[in-house]
Amino acid sequence: MLRFLFVLILFAVATYLLIRVFQQRGLMPERPNLPKRQAPKKMIAPDDDEDFLRDLDRKRRDPEDPDAGP
């Protein structure tokens, strides 16, 4: 059992060292840097628009205003 554990540890160390050598010499390519995806533009609903809300408030306060017409 002890011999198996020693061989397993030796195999893991050897594999790690080989991979490090391949990476340093350029034999094993590193993961490419993929461009980050841009988040889609946030949709603005009418109730999120400051100008729209201000205009609604003005129409509510003064329904006779000619600029506040439909």
Side-chain angles (χ1 to χ4, degrees):
M1 179 70 179
L2 188 59
R3 185 177 291 173
F4 175 74
L5 186 61
F6 177 73
V7 170
L8 185 63
I9 292 173
L10 186 63
F11 178 75
V13 170
T15 303
Y16 172 77
L17 292 175
L18 279 174
I19 289 174
R20 293 293 295 168
V21 168
F22 288 158
Q23 285 178 341
Q24 287 177 355
R25 291 187 179 192
L27 299 175
M28 186 174 181
E30 294 180 15
R31 294 188 306 175
N33 293 333
L34 300 176
K36 293 182 180 179
R37 299 179 82 191
Q38 293 181 353
K41 292 184 178 181
K42 183 179 177 184
M43 297 293 291
I44 297 178
D47 60 344
D48 291 337
D49 187 12
E50 297 278 335
D51 294 330
F52 178 78
L53 293 174
R54 195 173 301 116
D55 189 45
L56 280 180
D57 193 36
R58 185 172 47 92
K59 287 179 185 178
R60 184 180 53 81
R61 278 187 276 135
D62 192 8
E64 299 296 323
D65 186 6
D67 290 333

